[in-house]
Amino acid sequence: DVQWGAAAITAANTAKDGTGTVDTVFTADATEGSYLKQLIFRSAGTNIATVARIFINNGSSNATPANNSLFKEITLPATTLTEVASQQDNVVPLDLPLPAGYKINITLGTAVAAGYYVTGDGGKY
């Protein structure tokens, strides 16, 4: 079964342990688990450059550092709003199996003005 998740993010969180304000982009099926094929980052307009941090959370509170694992980072370039050209997608291929109830949380290194839409593309087992 196809499974999607999404979030719109703008706020900064400089914690490298997955604590603080996070945006959950994808949650694995509560019974069978899921797989996450990829994450797609799309700018919502004019933003400064930043880094997105991707955390695997074990389904418990992200306030406890031991529940989180910094999995990947991606540099997101500065973007300028335009009505005549498309924004560049920033795709993170993953092919990641996730146990039941596990989550993918995202943070940004710096606050951005317009934000990013993040879509998780995957499926249920």
Side-chain angles (χ1 to χ4, degrees):
D1 291 341
V2 174
Q3 183 179 353
W4 293 85
I9 57 175
T10 59
N13 177 350
T14 59
K16 310 302 186 292
D17 60 5
T19 61
T21 301
V22 301
D23 289 281
T24 300
V25 174
F26 191 87
T27 302
D29 180 73
T31 305
E32 300 294 328
S34 299
Y35 68 91
L36 182 56
K37 179 180 168 187
Q38 63 186 354
L39 291 175
I40 304 164
F41 291 79
R42 174 164 287 276
S43 174
T46 300
N47 290 310
I48 61 171
T50 190
V51 62
R53 294 188 174 93
I54 303 164
F55 294 89
I56 299 173
N57 172 273
N58 66 8
S60 298
S61 171
N62 75 289
T64 303
N67 293 337
N68 311 308
S69 176
L70 177 57
F71 182 65
K72 286 191 180 276
E73 295 179 317
I74 180 175
T75 300
L76 299 173
T79 57
T80 302
L81 179 63
T82 176
E83 301 306 328
V84 297
S86 64
Q87 296 285 350
Q88 179 72 29
D89 281 342
N90 294 277
V91 179
V92 180
L94 296 171
D95 290 321
L96 177 67
L98 292 169
Y102 272 50
K103 299 182 232 178
I104 298 297
N105 293 331
I106 306 291
T107 65
L108 295 179
T110 55
V112 295
Y116 282 90
Y117 299 115
V118 186
T119 302
D121 172 18
K124 298 178 184 179
Y125 285 116

